[in-house]
Amino acid sequence: MIPIFDAHCDALQRALDLGHDLGGETHGHFDLAKAARGGVRGICLTAWVDGTYADEVGASKRRTNALLDAADDLFAAHPGKLRRVDDPAGFDALPAGLIGCVLAIEGGHAIEDDLGQLEHYAGRGVRVMTLTWNNHLSWARSCRDGAGAGVPEGLSGLGRDVVKRMGELGMLVDLSHAGERTFYDALECAASPPIVSHSGCSALADHPRNVTDDQLRALKEKGGVIGIPFATAFLDEDERAAERAYRDTDEYRAVKGGDPTESLLLQGDAIQTALAPFPLEHVVRHVMHALEVCGPEHVAIGSDFDGIDRRPAGLEDASGYQVLMEALRGRGLDGATCERIAFSNAQRILSEAFGARIR
Ligand SMILES: [Zn+2]
C-alpha cells in the first residue's frame, strides 16, 4: 500500500458532538479502523468552526477548544494508534504502525481577532489554520459572495499580522476557502509555502471554492501544495446540479439528526443511496490537471471526509484511498509520483511550516 497523508478531515466533530470513538470502527467517513485499511500514515484532523459561531462573542473560541479537547481525548485513548505531530522531526520519529496527526483549525474566526488566541491554539498543538471558512472576517475575505461593509478586499493589516504570526508559531497557512485577493496577499506575506488543503481546479469545474490555473501557478512558484478534495460539488458541474436538485426534495429535507453533525452524516447516507455513484474519474481528472499545471511536487489529497455528504464511488470513506492510487497508476503515473501525491508533498509542506517556527 502507498502511505497516505490526508490534508483535511473534519472527523473531530463526530467525536465531540456524537461521542464517536474515532479509535475504532464508527458510523462515518474517517476513523482509525478505516484509516488502517486505507493505508493512512498521516492525517490533518481539523477543528471546523461553523461560521454561525462568529455571531456570538466567545462562541468560536469555546467551540474550537472543545474540538481540540476531543482530539486530546482521542490521543490519550489510543496512544498505540495515533500520535500528535507538531514539530519538524515528528514524522521521522513516528514508530511504524502509528498514524501521525496534525491538528488544524478551519475558520480564522476561531481566534476572534486576537493574536493571543492564535498563540493559545499553537500552544495546544495546532499547526494548520485556514484563514477563513465560507464566512468573511474583518481581516480576511472568503471565496464567497456577499462580503458586507468592513470586509477588506483581501487581507487587512491584522490579516497580514495573523499570517506573519502563524509563521513565527510554526503554523501552516491554509488558503482553502480564501477569496482570490486574500490568497495572493497571503502568498506574499507567508513565512513558509502555504497549502490549499481541499479545493479543486476551476478550469474543470467553476466553483468559488476552486482555484484558477493562475492561482495554481502562483502557489507552485511559492513552493505550495494543493490538496484535491473528494467533495463532489467542487469536482463536476453536472453532478453538482443533480445534487442540488436532490437536496431540494422533501426526502432529503426530512433527513434530520439530533444536531447538525448527525444531520450531515445521515444526509450523506441518504444522498449516497439516492443518486447514481459519483465517478471516481472526476477526482482523477482534478489530480491530473493540478499535476499538469503545478507539477508532481505540489499536489496532495485533502478529502474533507466527515465534512461532506456525497462521496465518490470507491472513496466513500477512509478505507478507499488506495482505490484512488490504483486509478492514478492506471493513468500512467509512476510509483514515485503517486507517493508524492499520497504522502510526501503534504509532509514536506507541513515540515517546512514547523521548521519556520521561532523557538
Ligand atoms: Zn472546508
Side-chain angles (χ1 to χ4, degrees):
M1 281 200 283
I2 299 176
I4 301 294
F5 198 125
D6 186 337
H8 192 87
C9 172
D10 286 346
L12 284 178
Q13 58 180 342
R14 283 198 297 113
L16 175 63
D17 298 332
L18 307 181
H20 289 185
D21 178 3
L22 301 177
E25 192 78 44
T26 59
H27 177 198
H29 310 167
F30 183 94
D31 56 47
L32 299 188
K34 295 183 183 74
R37 295 200 293 279
V40 175
R41 178 78 168 145
I43 181 78
C44 283
L45 282 183
T46 302
W48 168 60
V49 188
D50 193 332
T52 55
Y53 287 95
D55 297 341
E56 186 197 330
V57 175
S60 300
K61 292 181 186 177
R62 279 197 301 278
R63 176 69 177 172
T64 308
N65 277 311
L67 286 160
L68 296 175
D69 290 344
D72 285 346
D73 291 346
L74 181 65
F75 297 137
H78 301 284
K81 294 182 181 173
L82 187 71
R83 181 177 294 178
R84 195 181 83 198
V85 173
D86 59 10
D87 64 43
F91 293 107
D92 297 332
L94 203 61
L98 248 68
I99 294 174
C101 174
V102 176
L103 288 178
I105 290 174
E106 181 165 26
H109 53 288
I111 70 167
E112 302 198 12
D113 297 353
D114 176 6
L115 289 178
Q117 191 64 23
L118 182 66
E119 287 158 21
H120 165 80
Y121 296 136
R124 296 203 60 175
V126 173
R127 289 293 177 271
V128 185
M129 186 172 82
T130 71
L131 298 183
T132 71
W133 184 61
N134 287 335
N135 50 314
H136 303 284
L137 309 182
S138 67
W139 51 268
R141 182 175 295 223
S142 89
C143 64
R144 293 286 177 174
D145 291 338
V151 174
E153 287 287 327
L155 286 178
S156 71
L158 174 61
R160 287 172 181 270
D161 288 346
V162 169
V163 169
K164 284 179 196 146
R165 192 73 189 114
M166 286 178 72
E168 291 163 357
L169 294 165
M171 294 173 78
L172 175 59
V173 174
D174 187 342
L175 298 176
S176 266
H177 291 275
E180 201 164 333
R181 177 75 183 276
T182 303
F183 170 95
Y184 286 111
D185 286 351
L187 277 193
E188 199 181 283
C189 60
S192 74
I195 193 170
V196 179
S197 67
H198 57 301
S199 296
C201 305
S202 298
L204 302 184
D206 185 22
H207 190 290
R209 284 279 290 99
N210 289 345
V211 291
T212 65
D213 285 358
D214 283 345
Q215 286 178 288
L216 286 174
R217 281 186 280 268
L219 190 66
K220 175 194 176 174
E221 193 72 18
K222 185 81 184 183
V225 165
I226 180 164
I228 299 300
F230 303 167
T232 56
F234 306 164
L235 299 176
D236 185 72
E237 292 175 31
D238 292 338
E239 294 284 350
R240 181 162 82 241
E243 289 165 19
R244 204 182 292 131
Y246 178 65
R247 289 196 190 98
D248 209 26
T249 61
D250 291 341
E251 183 181 297
Y252 186 83
R253 278 196 289 262
V255 178
K256 281 227 160 51
D259 68 8
T261 300
E262 190 178 26
S263 293
L264 177 67
L265 184 61
L266 299 178
Q267 285 160 352
D269 294 344
I271 200 167
Q272 215 57 14
T273 310
L275 299 187
F278 181 91
L280 177 69
E281 174 58 21
H282 292 307
V283 184
V284 173
R285 282 194 311 128
H286 281 255
V287 171
M288 298 303 288
H289 182 82
L291 278 177
E292 204 178 296
V293 179
C294 293
E297 286 165 6
H298 305 278
V299 184
I301 297 168
S303 68
D304 213 356
F305 275 144
D306 287 307
I308 50 179
D309 56 3
R310 194 174 183 211
R311 289 93 67 209
L315 287 173
E316 290 87 355
D317 61 46
S319 65
Y321 296 107
Q322 301 299 325
V323 177
L324 174 60
M325 290 301 125
E326 281 161 28
L328 292 173
R329 290 301 296 265
R331 288 290 287 265
L333 295 189
D334 60 29
T337 302
C338 287
E339 193 280 331
R340 280 190 177 126
I341 296 166
F343 189 86
S344 58
N345 288 339
Q347 181 198 13
R348 187 261 300 169
I349 202 162
L350 282 159
S351 297
E352 284 183 21
F354 299 165
R357 178 173 8 170
I358 292 172
R359 289 169 186 275

